[in-house]
């Protein structure tokens, strides 16, 4: 009886170990985002593990190696080297969903081979985070020509704008130490950890979640929510001007030009018409204020619309996701690289 029990327990344990190994191998290729660590220099909130293989097949098909600092940039950073153009932003500039070498930064480097372009875009680093890290990034990398800050959003509350001014934007924490850090070394356990963290965010309180619930209670549809979001929701103009002036003052210390690159969140309606979350007036407000303080501004809306209506090309989405939704695809990355190149050539 005892031997039978141990025999059955041994088989169960062996099956669990085998399943764990298969799942780990699967995740290594299917969805393998490296562990991230706090950035001691503060140029970003965190960096990925250096010189580590990454792959993503859940949205698009991407793979590559992080560089010696832990960024997705295809080149290594040498301390003290001259950086001509520094690029800051979120996963859209990191290009985590296209193969290494197809990011807008890598494509721009091909068009401007004489300039050193370095991309420190990292997932989750939206405009407010980039503003919070701007001084540290400038102090470390000392770009000599331009700093590009990517954003997919144009509206910030007064509280968010004040946080950017005060340097109190909430940072993205890392959990790479202790037991959690050790377990994350395994790609399957790391995915389980990320899923649990995402689940906690979903069930947690949020303004948009509450808004959706209230619309559903009133019998409204998701489309109605989108339409309401598209109404002009301009930032507090004076606070936004102060935020832009703050980063401009830091850039002026080195004689560097700032370029804010805005790419709109788009979707197709049921008739195939391209719609945007933002409105023209929101973009015009940014363009006007940037011009007032001496910051460059690129709005990708017109280019994205042209490519869709003239060439049936969408900047967002992949063959394994919903049409037109999600991260920038390879064509979207190329559009951004081309518009950046055009802007830089016209404003030498």
């Amino acid at each position: 009886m005892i031997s039978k029990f141990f025999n059955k327990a041994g088989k169960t344990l062996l099956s669990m170990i085998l399943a764990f190994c298969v799942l780990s191998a699967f995740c290594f290729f299917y969805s393998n985002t490296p562990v991230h660590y706090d950035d001691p220099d503060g140029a970003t909130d965190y960096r990925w593990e250096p010189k580590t293989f990454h792959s993503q097949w859940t949205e698009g098909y991407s793979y590559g190696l992080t560089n010696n600092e832990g960024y997705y940039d295809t080149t290594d950073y040498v301390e003290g080297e001259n950086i001509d153009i520094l690029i800051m932003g979120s996963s859209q500039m990191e290009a985590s969903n296209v193969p290494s070498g197809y990011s807008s930064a890598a494509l721009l480097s091909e068009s401007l081979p004489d300039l050193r372009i370095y991309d420190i875009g990292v997932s989750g680093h939206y405009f407010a985070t980039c503003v919070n890290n701007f001084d540290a990034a400038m102090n470390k990398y000392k770009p000599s020509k331009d700093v590009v800050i990517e954003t997919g959003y144009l509206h910030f509350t007064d509280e968010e704008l004040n946080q950017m001014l005060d340097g109190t934007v909430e940072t993205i924490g890392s959990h790479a130490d202790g037991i959690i850090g050790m377990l994350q070394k395994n790609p399957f356990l790391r995915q389980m950890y990320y899923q649990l963290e995402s689940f906690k965010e979903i069930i947690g309180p949020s303004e948009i979640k509450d808004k959706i619930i209230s619309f559903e209670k009133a019998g409204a549809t998701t489309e109605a929510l989108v339409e309401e979001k598209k109404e002009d929701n301009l930032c507090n103009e004076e606070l936004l001007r102060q935020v832009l002036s703050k980063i401009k003052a830091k850039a002026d210390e080195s004689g560097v030009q700032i370029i804010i690159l805005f790419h709109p969140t788009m979707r197709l309606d049921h008739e195939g018409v391209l719609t945007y979350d933002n409105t023209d007036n929101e973009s015009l407000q940014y363009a006007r204020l940037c011009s007032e303080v001496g910051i460059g501004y690129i709005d990708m809306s017109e280019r994205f619309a042209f490519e869709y209506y003239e060439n049936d090309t969408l900047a967002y989405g992949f063959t394994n996701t919903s049409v037109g939704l999600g991260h920038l695809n390879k064509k979207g990355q190329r559009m951004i690289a081309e518009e950046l190149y055009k802007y830089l050539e016209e404003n030498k």
Side-chain angles (χ1 to χ4, degrees):
M1 187 73 174
I2 294 177
S3 61
K4 197 172 182 180
F5 169 79
F6 278 108
N7 185 42
K8 188 174 182 180
K11 289 181 178 178
T12 301
L13 180 62
L14 185 61
S15 298
M16 291 173 64
I17 293 172
L18 181 61
F20 179 78
C21 291
V22 170
L23 287 169
S24 297
F26 175 76
C27 287
F28 181 79
F29 294 101
Y30 182 68
S31 184
N32 183 18
T33 303
V35 182
H36 63 72
Y37 300 86
D38 293 336
D39 181 358
D41 300 314
T44 52
D45 282 1
Y46 69 83
R47 309 171 185 167
W48 303 111
E49 190 171 4
K51 293 296 182 183
T52 302
F53 175 74
H54 60 84
S55 63
Q56 190 66 259
W57 295 67
T58 56
E59 184 189 354
Y61 305 98
S62 69
Y63 52 86
L65 283 176
T66 55
N67 73 354
N68 63 328
E69 287 201 300
Y71 298 121
Y72 278 24
D73 193 277
T74 54
T75 60
D76 285 342
Y77 171 71
V78 179
E79 189 170 356
E81 70 172 316
N82 176 61
I83 302 293
D84 294 300
I85 301 174
L86 181 69
I87 295 180
M88 304 177 69
S90 65
S91 55
Q92 301 287 16
M93 288 316 260
E94 180 181 57
S96 55
N97 297 81
V98 299
S100 180
Y102 286 92
S103 69
S104 53
L107 297 172
L108 184 62
S109 293
E110 293 178 4
S111 301
L112 298 170
D114 296 331
L115 297 182
R116 174 69 166 110
I117 300 169
Y118 193 54
D119 182 7
I120 61 170
V122 186
S123 295
H125 285 60
Y126 303 113
F127 184 72
T129 306
C130 292
V131 169
N132 214 43
N133 297 330
F134 188 79
D135 284 10
M138 289 290 293
N139 290 337
K140 176 177 180 180
Y141 295 109
K142 298 178 175 58
S144 59
K145 293 183 180 295
D146 303 279
V147 181
V148 178
I149 305 177
E150 166 259 333
T151 182
Y153 304 93
L154 293 179
H155 179 73
F156 297 96
T157 65
D158 289 6
E159 180 183 4
E160 290 169 327
L161 291 168
N162 278 314
Q163 288 174 347
M164 291 184 230
L165 288 171
D166 300 337
T168 57
V169 175
E170 185 176 357
T171 57
I172 308 167
S174 293
H175 304 282
D177 298 322
I179 273 285
I180 297 294
M182 184 177 69
L183 292 176
Q184 284 190 74
K185 294 292 185 182
N186 177 274
F188 170 58
L189 294 178
R190 187 160 66 249
Q191 287 307 311
M192 288 186 65
Y193 172 74
Y194 288 153
Q195 290 293 326
L196 287 171
E197 288 293 303
S198 298
F199 180 69
K200 281 163 59 180
E201 290 180 7
I202 291 171
I203 63 174
S206 72
E207 183 181 341
I208 189 68
K209 178 186 169 187
D210 294 340
K211 205 169 189 182
I212 290 173
I213 291 171
S214 67
F215 265 71
E216 289 175 346
K217 285 181 179 177
T221 63
T222 305
E223 287 183 2
L225 177 62
V226 171
E227 286 305 313
E228 192 207 271
K229 282 179 65 183
K230 287 183 67 178
E231 293 178 1
D232 284 336
N233 197 9
L234 303 182
C235 293
N236 181 309
E237 188 149 310
E238 183 52 37
L239 289 177
L240 179 56
R241 183 184 287 107
Q242 290 179 40
V243 168
L244 296 175
S245 298
K246 175 187 174 181
I247 56 176
K248 178 64 166 60
K250 180 63 178 178
D252 283 347
E253 293 177 8
S254 304
V256 175
Q257 166 77 3
I258 299 175
I259 304 166
I260 293 179
L261 173 75
F262 168 62
H263 57 91
T265 302
M266 307 185 316
R267 57 175 53 79
L268 296 177
D269 68 12
H270 61 284
E271 294 181 345
V273 176
L274 200 62
T275 63
Y276 306 98
D277 281 356
N278 64 289
T279 66
D280 289 341
N281 284 338
E282 290 174 311
S283 186
L284 287 171
Q285 181 191 44
Y286 265 76
R288 177 169 51 80
L289 292 179
C290 283
S291 178
E292 283 182 19
V293 302
I295 289 177
Y297 181 73
I298 300 174
D299 183 344
M300 293 298 300
S301 304
E302 187 175 336
R303 175 66 189 274
F304 286 173
F306 174 84
E307 294 294 340
Y308 173 63
Y309 289 113
E310 297 296 324
N311 301 316
D312 298 318
T313 298
L314 286 166
Y316 299 91
F318 302 87
T319 55
N320 57 351
T321 59
S322 299
V323 176
L325 294 179
H327 286 82
L328 289 162
N329 52 38
K330 287 196 288 188
K331 292 177 180 177
Q333 293 286 344
R334 182 168 290 281
M335 292 178 209
I336 284 180
E338 289 172 353
E339 292 303 313
L340 269 172
Y341 175 78
K342 185 193 304 182
Y343 182 91
L344 292 168
E345 287 296 294
E346 291 174 354
N347 294 273
K348 281 183 176 179

